[in-house]
Amino acid sequence: MPLKSFIDVPRESHFPIQNLPFGIFKPKQSAPRVGVAIGDYVVDLSVLEEQGHFRSPEFQDRPVFSEGSLNAFLALGRPAWRRTREVLQHLLSAEIPTLRDDATLRDRVFHRQRDVTMRLPARIGDYTDFYSSYHHAHNVGTMLRGPENALMPNWKWLPVAYHGRASSLVPSVAEVRRPHGQIKPPDASAPVFGPSRSLD
């Protein structure tokens, strides 16, 4: 029998009980904390943590869901991630009364997505970017070297990676300031100053 939640999840939703994505959300007058989406709601994991639902060896007796990033939770590793999903799917299940029948607790745990602000989910100190998409690598190579020399001859055999700038990672809703600099159009006799025409 398929797992079903007591939360009414629209048929077209990307967030049924089988897919509970983690994120950082900020209610209007509270600090950011960890939540998961289900249907049109965000489940506040800090409240469930406070209630003792995540007391288990996987969590090493550390509160991790009241922080404004996923870093502490991610550092716990796969056993804690798996245990969190098990606890959430149990609590959100149609057969379990813990949240389903406690209106006061539900009011604290559930926030409508339209009433919260989503934040960058993790503090990113550093990362390595792998050139694993042929189309992306070909497009960038074409901009730099033309379509005939877009990719190096060994691109399909050699895993290409490069150091990335953590400062370039922003939430998808953030405004991105297009950098300005000198550009010399092919038909111009001198360089001009203006915004970058290409922004990856």
Side-chain angles (χ1 to χ4, degrees):
M1 186 171 154
L3 190 60
K4 184 168 170 48
S5 175
F6 67 87
I7 296 292
D8 184 26
V9 177
R11 188 178 176 85
E12 69 280 1
S13 174
H14 295 293
F15 310 125
I17 192 170
Q18 292 83 1
N19 180 37
L20 302 171
F22 292 93
I24 298 296
F25 75 102
K26 184 185 182 310
K28 279 194 170 73
Q29 295 176 336
S30 303
R33 73 280 307 266
V34 181
V36 297
I38 183 166
D40 296 328
Y41 293 91
V42 175
V43 179
D44 189 334
L45 300 194
S46 71
V47 174
L48 296 176
E49 181 175 63
E50 179 189 298
Q51 298 278 314
H53 291 289
F54 299 110
R55 283 197 195 111
S56 68
E58 294 88 351
F59 289 92
Q60 305 164 10
D61 296 323
R62 291 175 52 199
V64 294
F65 295 127
S66 57
E67 298 193 15
S69 86
L70 286 170
N71 291 54
F73 173 59
L74 294 174
L76 293 175
R78 196 171 299 278
W81 309 342
R82 188 175 295 118
R83 179 68 183 141
T84 302
R85 289 201 183 280
E86 289 169 358
V87 168
L88 289 171
Q89 287 182 330
H90 174 78
L91 290 172
L92 294 168
S93 170
E95 291 81 36
I96 304 302
T98 310
L99 288 171
R100 185 193 67 199
D101 298 347
D102 187 337
T104 304
L105 183 56
R106 273 200 326 274
D107 283 345
R108 294 184 59 212
V109 169
F110 291 98
H111 301 263
R112 287 204 169 271
Q113 288 182 25
R114 66 176 183 237
D115 297 333
V116 304
T117 305
M118 298 307 295
R119 296 291 186 89
L120 193 66
R123 291 185 304 275
I124 304 181
D126 216 352
Y127 74 96
T128 299
D129 198 348
F130 282 88
Y131 243 176
S132 57
S133 164
Y134 170 84
H135 299 289
H136 173 67
H138 192 274
N139 289 341
V140 172
T142 299
M143 288 190 300
L144 299 173
R145 294 179 294 277
E148 307 79 24
N149 301 306
L151 297 176
M152 297 294 118
N154 63 345
W155 187 87
K156 291 183 179 178
W157 292 270
L158 177 71
V160 179
Y162 58 90
H163 182 265
R165 285 186 328 182
S167 63
S168 67
L169 298 178
V170 295
S172 58
V173 295
E175 287 188 20
V176 176
R177 186 172 60 85
R178 189 171 288 275
H180 284 61
Q182 271 194 356
I183 304 165
K184 185 178 180 303
D187 56 347
S189 58
V192 295
F193 184 78
S196 169
R197 293 178 184 170
S198 300
L199 191 62
D200 186 14

